[in-house]
Amino acid sequence: MRSEASLHRPPRRPWAWLWVFAASQGLVVAVWWAIGWRWGLPLLLASHLAVVWGTLRPGSRLFSPVLSRLPGGARTVWLTIDDGPSADTGAILDLLDAHGAKATFFLVGARALARPDAVREIVRRGHGIGNHSFDHPSAWFWALPPAAMRAQVDRAQAALATTAGAPPRWFRAVVGMANPFVGPALARHGLTRVAWSARGFDAVEPDPDRVLARIERQLRPGAIVLLHEGARHGRNPETLARVLQRLDALDYRAVLPDEPDVRA
């Protein structure tokens, strides 16, 4: 049996990437000096492109550990719902209850402070919470410098600890993009970064059937399913209902990572 503790892997050496990057730049200089720019320039570009790739790819482990799926072969999935709390939260909770499903809500700190009763209701009904930044700067979260990144994580962690009664242990980067400064911010709070293995783009796609089709193509035992609430198109609860119905039909159970059904 795999416990939540074994899945919970905060960054242990959050600045290790800096030493590796510094060594790579030293190699670039040495090659450029010894052989010339025709070899040095491609090496320089490759080293910087690696940083860009590690930042923009949600499942990248270049800068910090990340959980992209649950272990084992049991027909279980981890439903994760981003961007709340919102006006949709109550309807989403009712749907989860109706299907006997559990989910982790990755909450935005400022929105949690605006809807503390919704946060408490999530916890009361037995669901999990995660840190999803303080004010969800979707256009530039990936480019935040160290102090601003730390503030996003710190302030959200404080807001969620206040509203939920305990600090979360999970973190999801905004739009999934985690730059080199996310790891140190997570290490301060013992947070584990969570990505996903199945998504339907329901934050922007208003058609529940299209969302479901995308998710189903990626569905496997242990999948971490990315969903949202509060999207402008207003159809997130309807989409969740379709997903839950399909999970039931396929004999999948939506569980939290610390439940006994999560097996190695």
Side-chain angles (χ1 to χ4, degrees):
M1 185 180 300
R2 189 67 65 95
S3 69
E4 181 180 359
S6 66
L7 296 175
H8 189 251
R9 298 168 185 163
R12 296 178 58 187
R13 293 178 290 275
W15 291 106
W17 67 270
L18 183 59
W19 297 103
V20 174
F21 183 72
S24 74
Q25 299 314 287
L27 177 63
V28 168
V29 171
V31 169
W32 201 307
W33 180 268
I35 305 177
W37 69 270
R38 293 182 185 276
W39 288 90
L41 181 58
L43 282 176
L44 178 67
L45 293 175
S47 65
H48 285 74
L49 284 173
V51 173
V52 174
W53 176 85
T55 296
L56 301 184
R57 186 173 184 273
S60 169
R61 294 173 170 81
L62 188 62
F63 304 124
S64 62
V66 60
L67 183 61
S68 296
R69 62 181 307 109
L70 299 177
R75 292 185 72 80
T76 57
V77 298
W78 183 9
L79 293 180
T80 61
I81 301 172
D82 285 11
D83 296 355
S86 70
D88 292 339
T89 303
I92 285 173
L93 289 171
D94 290 342
L95 283 167
L96 292 169
D97 284 352
H99 288 265
K102 296 297 182 184
T104 296
F105 290 73
F106 284 87
L107 303 176
V108 177
R111 297 171 190 172
L113 292 176
R115 298 176 183 266
D117 291 344
V119 179
R120 286 190 284 270
E121 187 65 8
I122 291 170
V123 175
R124 188 188 72 80
R125 298 208 200 183
H127 302 286
I129 62 167
N131 183 324
H132 193 43
S133 83
F134 183 73
D135 56 12
H136 202 270
S138 56
W140 43 269
F141 182 85
W142 64 275
L144 289 179
M149 183 66 72
R150 185 170 60 247
Q152 283 289 331
V153 176
D154 288 356
R155 294 178 69 193
Q157 196 74 352
L160 295 173
T162 297
T163 53
R169 303 179 70 200
W170 309 106
F171 173 83
R172 175 165 286 149
V174 177
V175 200
M177 298 177 183
N179 72 20
F181 308 121
V182 169
L186 302 187
R188 287 162 51 85
H189 300 284
L191 286 161
T192 295
R193 185 160 64 95
V194 179
W196 56 81
S197 57
R199 70 182 302 188
F201 296 94
D202 62 315
V204 294
E205 173 58 69
D207 186 337
D209 290 329
R210 290 184 180 180
V211 173
L212 177 61
R214 292 183 184 124
I215 290 175
E216 189 169 353
R217 283 195 295 269
Q218 304 165 73
L219 202 58
R220 303 288 187 279
I224 298 177
V225 180
L226 171 62
L227 295 165
H228 295 81
E229 60 174 300
R232 290 182 180 179
H233 55 66
R235 302 190 73 180
N236 289 144
E238 184 181 350
T239 296
L240 176 63
R242 297 282 288 113
V243 170
L244 290 170
Q245 290 164 6
R246 191 59 181 153
L247 290 176
D248 288 346
L250 295 173
D251 198 29
Y252 278 97
R253 295 193 63 238
V255 301
L256 298 180
D258 58 340
E259 292 187 22
D261 285 334
V262 181
R263 300 180 185 276

